[in-house]
Amino acid sequence: MHKYTNRLIDETSPYLQQHAHNPVDWYPWGDEALSLAREQNKPILLSIGYSACHWCHVMEKESFEDEETAQLMNRLFVNIKVDREERPDIDQRYMEFVQTLTGSGGWPLTVFLTPDGEPFYGGTYFPPEDRYGKPAFKKLLVMVSEYYHKNRQQLEENLDKIREIMARQRREIKGRHIPDTEAWSQAVQRLTQFYDALNGGMGQAPKFPAVQVFSLFLRKFAHHGDKQFLRMAEHTLQRMANGGIYDQLGGGFARYAVDEKWRVPHFEKMLYDNAQLASLYIDAYRLTQNPFYLQIARETLDFVRRELTAPDGGFYSSLDADSEGQEGKFYLWSKDEILKILDDETGRLFCARFGITDGGNFEGSNILFVSKSFDELAAEFKKTPEEIEALIRQARKKMLAEREQRIRPGLDYKTLTSWNGLMLSAFAAAYQVTLNPTYAAVIDKNIDFVRRNLYQSGRLLHVYSKGQSKIDAFVDDYAYLIQGLLDAYEALFDEHYLQMAVELTRRANDLFWDKRHGGYFFEATGKDQAKRHFKSETDASQPSPTAVMLHNQLRLFHFTGEQLYLQTAEQLMRKYGQKALENPYAFASFLNALDFYLSQPLEILILKEDQQRFDAFQKLIFRRYLPNKVVLVQTASSKASMGRPLLQGRESMEGKTTAFVCHGQSCSLPVTTVDGLKQILEKN
């Protein structure tokens, strides 16, 4: 049925499968392609992207499906396709080069390499004709090939310069001191200068959620009561949830907004964004008790359960930006469509609520965003706000059902250990505040999936797709999964989850720790030395794995009393402390972990005797904003086998569920009532 089929047909990555019928003679990354380049003395054209990427699809359609372009590529280059999500190590290495070369990066990533894999030229998207200030792709192919073959001396000189520049960039961060509370506070304060007071969020368009920054703002308010930080966080969360970046029918967030008002999304929906945002909205609920934030988190997790969860419990990676070859088509509406689906009054109400116009608010169509509040609509339509809310709720259900009949965006069905760990944390947080057994079932099933498919013979793997598990896990896989397991323990108090977190932390420290300089390599230290330079130290769209490992070690120290965890954490805080103070935006997740350390977290021990009182204690603890705490539960069978010495030897009072709260080296008297525990928590 297909005119062309290349080697990507045997790959399990949905992104690589998308390119399996290009006329380009694509190779997956591996020895076969690299050896061929050396044998034929051809440069390598490396193209990196991911399945939900709109501009990746554009470049494929314009260039990789074009026979004339493909013939040029096949004649002049050995062509390699890489899924950035499947091989983040390769992506990070060459993205660093392109960002250094051009000052920016993104996907598709297009890099030209020597047969030994050294980059000498690159960029992102290249158009088929000269435009956007970029050369036509076919013209570029000829120029790069001629340069490689005819200017070898200049090429070697440039490669030496590139190696020197990259080596300077990779110099080790060398700090000596752990910042104190005042320095932490000043660093968070400095972040306010980047805040968009008009629209919320950090900086200008395009707008990314910056989850770790707003987590810091919630902590800052909780510590010092400075309301500007709560206002900034709430303003941003409300603008995002009411904007087009949020799916007003089906729940869930797009990756970012292309405009400053959060109205026009880049339509792909990524698992990692929705995991982090659900957790952040739950924290905002804990701090403010505003049910709106919990509603957004629940709708987001409903979307994940409905559209990004496999029958076996794993979480899929993403939904495409495109459907039917058009960006965002699945999510866009005309006013006429809406008025045909809904009755006259409800249709007019729906259009008023979500900013629908005759001419459209986006390229002739309409993106749904909250244009008017329930109170404003109540005045306009002569109804109560409660009546308006009920009508809108029914209309959303009807519109969602109608949308389900459309051709859906492509699903990236591979399961990544790292992103599953982030989503595990989100479901754990949701269970903590709701005690909804549906969330508990999701947690248990996901961890069982990871154990069966991604944790083999004590070894963690990175990706599962089409029944195959492969690629040794990277440090972010370990970091996010350990965090997810600790959160799952503090939701369901299954000691196996805590034990698994301990085992994975031990292995992560063996595999990734830099014994010479401290910190974590992205790849295991037994791998090729040329790749080992990379350390994932700063936040990007996901939190820094180094910072998450720091937070994990601190939590495990308080769970277990094992000094090695504290020593490792303090080494990380000394190494990166000064850099975090200088660049708090890039090190926001590090500063969140540092706050946990500086605050001397509460250690809450619950001796569980009866379920009813235990549930009441859980609700009290987890429905309030207490980011700096660990909670251990001892039952008759566990006897706090993993507990710190400080917490051992405790006995329940009169056969009732009993709690102790410790801070520093002192512990409260035992309490058996919700009011008694509430008084202690409020005091601390």
Side-chain angles (χ1 to χ4, degrees):
M1 296 295 291
H2 296 280
K3 187 175 180 180
Y4 300 97
T5 300
N6 57 53
R7 291 164 186 81
L8 301 184
I9 196 68
D10 297 321
E11 294 297 304
T12 59
S13 157
Y15 176 66
L16 299 186
Q17 287 271 314
Q18 286 173 3
H19 294 266
H21 299 293
N22 295 163
V24 178
D25 190 13
W26 289 117
Y27 287 78
W29 182 271
D31 292 337
E32 183 184 5
L34 298 171
S35 297
L36 183 67
R38 286 190 287 268
E39 287 168 15
Q40 298 186 354
N41 188 28
K42 280 185 177 180
I44 293 166
L45 192 164
L46 174 64
S47 176
I48 303 176
Y50 59 101
S51 70
C53 164
H54 170 69
W55 284 101
C56 299
H57 301 327
V58 172
M59 193 165 177
E60 179 189 19
K61 187 175 292 184
E62 292 174 343
S63 295
F64 304 147
E65 291 180 353
D66 177 68
E67 293 187 4
E68 187 179 339
T69 304
Q71 286 173 4
L72 258 183
M73 292 171 67
N74 295 339
R75 181 164 58 84
L76 300 177
F77 298 91
V78 171
N79 302 290
I80 298 178
K81 229 346 159 174
V82 166
D83 180 341
R84 68 169 290 257
E85 296 163 359
E86 188 175 78
R87 293 303 304 264
D89 53 331
I90 297 169
D91 178 57
Q92 304 257 23
R93 180 183 180 190
Y94 293 112
M95 180 64 76
E96 183 183 26
F97 164 76
V98 169
Q99 287 175 327
T100 301
L101 182 73
T102 68
S104 62
W107 299 277
L109 189 66
T110 308
V111 195
F112 297 93
L113 320 176
T114 68
D116 292 326
E118 289 198 87
F120 63 90
Y121 187 75
T124 53
Y125 162 80
F126 288 100
E129 309 295 338
D130 292 348
R131 61 173 181 256
Y132 310 129
K134 296 183 177 186
F137 189 54
K138 285 184 287 189
K139 185 191 298 184
L140 179 69
L141 295 174
V142 174
M143 290 166 54
V144 170
S145 177
E146 288 182 352
Y147 172 75
Y148 174 79
H149 289 290
K150 296 179 181 179
N151 298 274
R152 296 307 293 269
Q153 184 176 345
Q154 185 182 354
L155 173 63
E156 289 300 326
E157 290 171 358
N158 286 340
L159 285 171
D160 285 339
K161 291 177 184 175
I162 290 166
R163 292 183 199 111
E164 188 179 324
I165 292 168
M166 301 302 278
R168 281 203 303 269
Q169 288 192 178
R170 296 167 193 156
R171 278 184 302 204
E172 283 293 329
I173 295 172
K174 295 179 181 179
R176 295 182 179 179
H177 305 292
I178 298 174
D180 59 18
T181 302
E182 184 178 351
W184 177 89
S185 186
Q186 290 172 352
V188 180
Q189 183 69 46
R190 278 200 294 279
L191 285 167
T192 61
Q193 64 187 297
F194 304 108
Y195 183 71
D196 179 354
L198 183 62
N199 301 297
M202 304 301 284
Q204 302 305 310
K207 279 281 183 66
F208 290 83
V211 170
Q212 298 299 324
V213 169
F214 292 104
S215 293
L216 270 180
F217 285 3
L218 295 183
R219 286 173 179 266
K220 183 77 166 70
F221 168 73
H223 282 314
H224 303 116
D226 188 337
K227 289 187 177 178
Q228 70 159 326
F229 289 96
L230 182 60
R231 279 197 300 270
M232 288 186 288
E234 288 206 83
H235 181 213
T236 300
L237 293 179
Q238 289 167 11
R239 291 301 294 264
M240 285 196 297
N242 288 328
I245 191 176
Y246 185 69
D247 182 351
Q248 299 296 333
L249 296 183
F253 290 86
R255 191 160 73 94
Y256 64 90
V258 301
D259 67 322
E260 71 279 358
K261 295 180 179 179
W262 303 104
R263 287 185 182 174
V264 181
H266 206 328
F267 289 92
E268 67 261 42
K269 285 170 147 182
M270 314 301 292
L271 184 71
Y272 62 79
D273 283 317
N274 286 285
Q276 294 175 87
L277 283 162
S279 297
L280 179 62
Y281 276 86
I282 288 169
D283 273 347
Y285 166 72
R286 286 168 162 153
L287 188 57
T288 66
Q289 298 299 302
N290 183 342
F292 172 74
Y293 301 129
L294 183 57
Q295 174 194 335
I296 297 300
R298 279 174 154 161
E299 290 177 358
T300 298
L301 296 178
D302 285 346
F303 150 70
V304 171
R305 287 175 52 232
R306 186 178 65 245
E307 300 186 41
L308 289 179
T309 302
D312 56 10
F315 300 123
Y316 297 131
S317 294
S318 63
L319 286 179
D320 206 325
D322 295 10
S323 55
E324 301 181 74
Q326 182 180 329
E327 184 182 14
K329 184 174 182 179
F330 184 73
Y331 303 99
L332 299 174
W333 300 89
S334 71
K335 188 172 183 179
D336 285 345
E337 279 182 291
I338 293 167
L339 294 178
K340 285 176 184 175
I341 296 163
L342 303 174
D343 65 62
D344 181 60
E345 183 185 46
T346 307
R348 289 187 294 108
L349 177 62
F350 187 90
C351 290
R353 169 72 170 169
F354 293 112
I356 306 300
T357 66
D358 291 317
N361 56 38
F362 173 71
E363 298 179 356
S365 295
N366 287 282
I367 297 168
L368 304 187
F369 67 91
V370 175
S371 176
K372 293 184 178 180
S373 69
F374 293 137
D375 287 340
E376 289 171 320
L377 293 169
E380 183 178 338
F381 285 83
K382 305 295 187 287
K383 295 181 183 294
T384 67
E386 292 74 21
E387 289 172 325
I388 295 290
E389 187 173 0
L391 287 168
I392 291 294
R393 191 183 308 116
Q394 292 164 9
R396 285 176 67 204
K397 285 182 181 177
K398 193 167 185 180
M399 292 293 294
L400 179 62
E402 185 70 25
R403 195 177 76 180
E404 287 299 303
Q405 307 307 309
R406 293 178 170 182
I407 295 173
R408 295 187 56 76
L411 170 69
D412 190 319
Y413 48 76
K414 70 178 179 294
T415 302
L416 300 172
T417 301
S418 53
W419 299 4
N420 272 243
L422 292 172
M423 187 53 74
L424 189 57
S425 290
F427 275 102
Y431 178 79
Q432 287 170 347
V433 299
T434 65
L435 298 185
N436 184 337
T438 300
Y439 297 144
V442 171
I443 294 166
D444 284 332
K445 196 169 184 179
N446 181 254
I447 295 174
D448 181 61
F449 167 85
V450 170
R451 275 184 174 144
R452 285 185 291 105
N453 296 294
L454 290 160
Y455 191 41
Q456 300 174 358
S457 304
R459 183 171 71 119
L460 197 61
L461 297 173
H462 171 63
V463 61
Y464 174 86
S465 183
K466 299 182 79 172
Q468 294 183 40
S469 305
K470 62 182 185 179
I471 305 173
D472 286 344
F474 303 102
V475 72
D476 60 342
D477 294 304
Y478 280 86
Y480 302 161
L481 180 57
I482 292 164
Q483 175 181 260
L485 288 164
L486 294 176
D487 291 335
Y489 170 77
E490 287 195 315
L492 304 182
F493 298 104
D494 183 332
E495 286 210 352
H496 294 101
Y497 298 164
L498 191 53
Q499 184 60 50
M500 188 174 173
V502 168
E503 292 168 5
L504 289 172
T505 303
R506 189 180 301 122
R507 185 155 181 80
N509 287 339
D510 287 342
L511 288 172
F512 302 102
W513 184 255
D514 181 353
K515 295 177 178 62
R516 184 178 176 191
H517 300 291
Y520 290 97
F521 290 113
F522 189 73
E523 286 188 280
T525 53
K527 293 291 186 71
D528 178 4
Q529 292 286 318
K531 295 181 182 177
R532 278 186 53 198
H533 71 272
F534 185 75
K535 289 180 177 177
S536 196
E537 297 167 324
T538 56
D539 295 336
S541 54
Q542 298 150 60
S544 154
T546 301
V548 175
M549 282 302 296
L550 163 60
H551 198 185
N552 292 341
Q553 308 268 0
L554 290 169
R555 293 173 74 185
L556 282 167
F557 165 67
H558 287 279
F559 276 124
T560 69
E562 173 56 60
Q563 287 291 322
L564 183 60
Y565 295 130
L566 182 61
Q567 292 164 9
T568 304
E570 288 182 336
Q571 192 171 345
L572 286 169
M573 288 185 287
R574 281 192 290 271
K575 180 177 177 65
Y576 295 109
Q578 184 57 40
K579 199 72 177 175
L581 300 180
E582 295 167 1
N583 189 358
Y585 188 87
F587 284 86
S589 58
F590 177 93
L591 292 169
N592 278 305
L594 177 64
D595 177 57
F596 184 92
Y597 172 81
L598 294 172
S599 298
Q600 295 189 65
L602 297 178
E603 297 163 322
I604 303 171
L605 173 65
I606 303 175
L607 309 181
K608 181 180 175 183
E609 298 290 348
D610 64 284
Q611 191 66 42
Q612 185 176 0
R613 197 179 303 256
F614 177 70
D615 287 348
F617 279 8
Q618 271 191 287
K619 289 176 183 176
L620 177 68
I621 294 165
F622 289 110
R623 286 185 182 175
R624 60 182 51 219
Y625 184 71
L626 293 170
N628 300 322
K629 68 177 181 309
V630 294
V631 183
L632 270 167
V633 171
Q634 176 179 297
T635 62
S637 60
S638 71
K639 287 296 180 187
S641 58
M642 309 236 9
R644 292 191 62 190
L646 181 68
L647 302 175
Q648 290 177 350
R650 306 285 176 181
E651 298 293 337
S652 60
M653 299 281 290
E654 301 169 358
K656 297 177 181 177
T657 293
T658 305
F660 297 85
V661 180
C662 303
H663 190 230
Q665 297 302 310
S666 62
C667 292
S668 71
L669 293 172
V671 291
T672 59
T673 66
V674 170
D675 285 343
L677 180 56
K678 184 179 180 182
Q679 288 177 19
I680 295 171
L681 293 178
E682 288 178 349
K683 182 181 176 183
N684 281 281

